[in-house]
Amino acid sequence: MNILLHGINISTQFQTCILQLIQAFEEKGSNVKLTKNLFNSFRKKGDLSPIVTPLNSKNDLAAIDVVISIGGDGTLLDTISLIGAYEIPVLGINTGRMGFLATIAKEDIKAAVKDLLEGRYALEDRSLVRLESSVPLFKGLNFGLNEFTIHKRDTSSMITVHTYIDGDYLNSYWADGIIVSTPTGSTGYSLSCGGPLISPLAKNFVITPVSPHNLNVRPIVVSDDSEISFKIEGRSEKFLVSLDSRSAPIDASVELKIKKELFVAKLVKFHDYSFFDTLRQKLNWGYDMRN
């Protein structure tokens, strides 16, 4: 196997675990590469074996079999933006707190490596959201695993987002912003704004207003075959759009359209994984504080 490790701002206490992870892969005959920033952070300390090399260009991704994302869910989102249309399987190792996407805990790393190398896993295809805009945005990285967001900028006043589904008028949202979430992203920003939880393999988008002025305006679930377009109004005429953790300023003249991306994100899931178990654990469902 050709393995790529990716991490952002790895804490000192977790760096030892990464070195053990690299050693475990090497002992099984796997070739290990690190993304450049991660490679440089270890090379300065002289901890890496000579056969570990950096990922020099995106063209090198064609030879990678699995990417290991080391960090929280934000790191995994960054990993998906790195991979793009290559659709390389991604395994998330959690060094953060919540971990809806990066689900492998520190104490489970050895067992996860063994199962991965012996093929005891499945792949979940997670749909992505794609942005089409009348001006170039995000340097060509116009897709996201979690959500697309329109938000007010430089003002305390609300904005108005006129929203259309396949050309049919849906609503004019008078709010701080609006979120279009994938099923994967339903546990993220959309959830904190009152959006519903959706099973990861559902074929839907969720449109969730951010702090709407009218309290009877609720999130709505639509087919991910839909084409969602927007026209924005506001006092400042300056707005902010984001795809996962990437953001860019725009003005009211920019045309925005959301569709399902043509490629998917492939997440490695082991056979004892359950999305519903994760929900119960992370959200403390069924937990009685009296006990």
Side-chain angles (χ1 to χ4, degrees), residues 223-235:
S223 166
D224 64 5
D225 289 327
S226 303
E227 180 180 281
I228 308 170
S229 54
F230 309 95
K231 294 179 182 177
I232 317 171
E233 294 179 11
R235 291 182 181 178

Side-chain angles (χ1 to χ4, degrees), residues 39-61:
F39 179 83
N40 290 335
S41 67
F42 279 100
R43 186 175 61 174
K44 291 176 183 177
K45 300 178 181 180
D47 291 332
L48 293 177
S49 67
I51 61 175
V52 176
T53 57
L55 184 78
N56 291 313
S57 73
K58 279 206 168 186
N59 292 332
D60 293 343
L61 288 170

Side-chain angles (χ1 to χ4, degrees), residues 198-216:
I198 298 182
S199 177
L201 302 183
K203 306 298 182 183
N204 302 115
F205 288 138
V206 183
I207 302 173
T208 306
V210 180
S211 302
H213 177 69
N214 298 320
L215 297 182
N216 62 343

Side-chain angles (χ1 to χ4, degrees), residues 10-279:
I10 300 296
S11 64
T12 303
Q13 62 182 7
F14 211 87
Q15 288 181 358
T16 301
C17 292
I18 295 178
L19 293 173
Q20 293 172 351
L21 183 65
I22 293 171
Q23 183 180 8
F25 279 124
E26 288 180 339
E27 287 174 353
K28 297 295 185 179
S30 296
N31 299 312
V32 180
K33 287 183 178 290
L34 276 63
T35 50
K36 278 191 176 181
N37 288 340
L38 187 61
F39 179 83
N40 290 335
S41 67
F42 279 100
R43 186 175 61 174
K44 291 176 183 177
K45 300 178 181 180
D47 291 332
L48 293 177
S49 67
I51 61 175
V52 176
T53 57
L55 184 78
N56 291 313
S57 73
K58 279 206 168 186
N59 292 332
D60 293 343
L61 288 170
I64 300 297
D65 297 307
V66 176
V67 180
I68 311 294
S69 172
I70 305 165
D73 286 354
T75 302
L76 196 141
L77 295 176
D78 189 69
T79 303
I80 297 301
S81 68
L82 170 70
I83 294 170
Y86 284 97
E87 293 190 339
I88 305 168
V90 178
L91 173 63
I93 293 178
N94 184 25
T95 67
R97 288 168 291 183
M98 288 296 283
F100 279 105
L101 298 174
T103 56
I104 303 301
K106 175 181 176 181
E107 57 271 17
D108 298 327
I109 289 177
K110 286 186 177 180
V113 169
K114 189 173 187 296
D115 286 344
L116 179 69
L117 294 178
E118 294 178 3
R120 292 193 296 270
Y121 64 90
L123 295 179
E124 275 191 2
D125 289 352
R126 300 290 186 93
S127 59
L128 306 169
V129 63
R130 181 175 91 227
L131 171 66
E132 295 181 357
S133 56
S134 57
V135 299
L137 295 171
F138 305 112
K139 299 179 180 179
L141 293 176
N142 63 330
F143 59 90
L145 176 60
N146 266 7
E147 72 268 315
F148 167 75
T149 305
I150 301 171
H151 212 277
K152 65 182 184 180
R153 182 182 184 227
D154 302 332
T155 179
S156 60
S157 301
M158 294 183 182
I159 61 176
T160 304
V161 184
H162 306 291
T163 304
Y164 304 81
I165 307 294
D166 295 325
D168 289 336
Y169 174 65
L170 171 64
N171 189 23
S172 293
Y173 292 94
W174 186 17
D176 284 352
I178 193 170
I179 306 163
V180 179
S181 167
T182 66
T184 300
S186 70
T187 57
Y189 190 17
S190 176
L191 177 63
S192 68
C193 294
L197 291 167
I198 298 182
S199 177
L201 302 183
K203 306 298 182 183
N204 302 115
F205 288 138
V206 183
I207 302 173
T208 306
V210 180
S211 302
H213 177 69
N214 298 320
L215 297 182
N216 62 343
V217 174
R218 310 306 302 161
I220 184 171
V221 179
V222 300
S223 166
D224 64 5
D225 289 327
S226 303
E227 180 180 281
I228 308 170
S229 54
F230 309 95
K231 294 179 182 177
I232 317 171
E233 294 179 11
R235 291 182 181 178
S236 73
E237 294 298 313
K238 292 292 183 180
F239 313 100
L240 196 68
V241 294
S242 65
L243 279 167
D244 292 345
S245 58
R246 307 182 302 279
S247 60
I250 63 167
D251 59 43
S253 67
V254 178
E255 297 177 4
L256 303 167
K257 187 181 296 182
I258 291 296
K259 296 179 178 180
K260 181 172 66 175
E261 184 53 271
L262 297 177
F263 54 87
V264 298
K266 293 183 177 292
L267 302 188
V268 173
K269 298 298 177 185
F270 298 111
H271 297 303
D272 59 351
Y273 166 80
S274 166
F275 171 72
F276 304 109
D277 286 346
T278 301
L279 279 186

